[in-house]
Amino acid sequence: MTLDATDKKLLVLLQTDSKKTNKELSLKLNLSVTAVYERIKKLEREGIIKNYAALLDKSKIEKGFVVFCHLKLIQHTKEFLTKFESEVIKLNEVLECHHVSGDYDYILKVLVKDMEAYREFLVTKLTSLQHIGSTQSMFMISEVKNSTVISF
């Protein structure tokens, strides 16, 4: 599907505030409410809009301790990668897991309450996964930018 300028504007508006009504969106886009509704449905059908979510304030739910954990596996076979990925997906503390190039194989974004909770997670959950060779943890000092909006 090729996105036109109106689709792109609509997507930015929805990413910024997905609770806007079709009427509010129609006024911003100079389209009818029906046209906005049809565009949204098309973007959903095509899989461009995958989901809608509420963004939470991490500190208010006691998940303000953010850790970026770099992992190295002991081997790079398909079996080891697949097994690790299927297990890490099950860990609730892991918000993101990225298979990367470079010195490490994966980067995890982990959210927990504090250092003690991270230690507990590391010792009882993460390092109990098979095929992990080494880990390196980096702790967030402050969040400079955190956006979910993809610009066009």
Side-chain angles (χ1 to χ4, degrees):
M1 175 181 170
T2 304
L3 299 175
D4 64 18
T6 303
D7 288 329
K8 292 175 182 178
K9 286 179 193 170
L10 176 58
L11 288 169
V12 169
L13 290 169
L14 287 171
Q15 289 178 91
T16 305
D17 183 1
S18 66
K19 290 191 78 170
K20 285 205 182 306
T21 65
N22 287 348
K23 182 174 182 162
E24 291 171 311
L25 294 168
S26 72
L27 293 172
K28 289 190 178 279
L29 297 170
N30 295 320
L31 294 174
S32 71
V33 173
T34 304
V36 168
Y37 174 82
E38 292 300 326
R39 280 179 183 263
I40 291 172
K41 288 299 167 199
K42 183 178 177 186
L43 293 164
E44 290 171 347
R45 266 193 320 273
E46 293 292 327
I48 292 169
I49 296 175
K50 291 173 40 174
N51 206 349
Y52 296 91
L55 303 176
L56 308 181
D57 184 327
K58 296 181 288 292
S59 64
K60 291 185 179 180
I61 58 167
E62 297 190 335
K63 300 285 184 181
F65 195 74
V66 180
V67 183
F68 296 96
C69 182
H70 294 204
L71 290 169
K72 207 180 275 193
L73 299 183
I74 56 174
Q75 285 187 1
H76 299 97
T77 64
K78 183 177 181 180
E79 175 192 345
F80 281 24
L81 296 174
T82 304
K83 178 69 174 161
F84 170 77
E85 290 173 4
S86 68
E87 292 298 317
V88 80
I89 286 169
K90 298 174 190 172
L91 300 175
N92 292 331
E93 296 87 349
V94 177
L95 216 60
E96 299 175 24
C97 175
H98 302 275
H99 189 186
V100 297
S101 63
D103 291 338
Y104 290 90
D105 300 312
Y106 291 91
I107 297 176
L108 309 181
K109 182 177 182 181
V110 179
L111 264 63
V112 289
K113 180 180 179 181
D114 52 23
M115 179 64 83
E116 186 178 326
Y118 181 67
R119 183 183 187 286
E120 181 70 16
F121 164 76
L122 191 64
V123 171
T124 63
K125 293 184 179 181
L126 189 60
T127 56
S128 70
L129 299 182
Q130 294 180 348
H131 315 307
I132 293 179
S134 65
T135 65
Q136 180 181 357
S137 301
M138 292 178 281
F139 307 101
M140 181 182 78
I141 295 170
S142 70
E143 190 170 78
V144 177
K145 180 180 180 179
N146 180 353
S147 176
T148 60
V149 178
I150 299 171
S151 299
F152 294 94

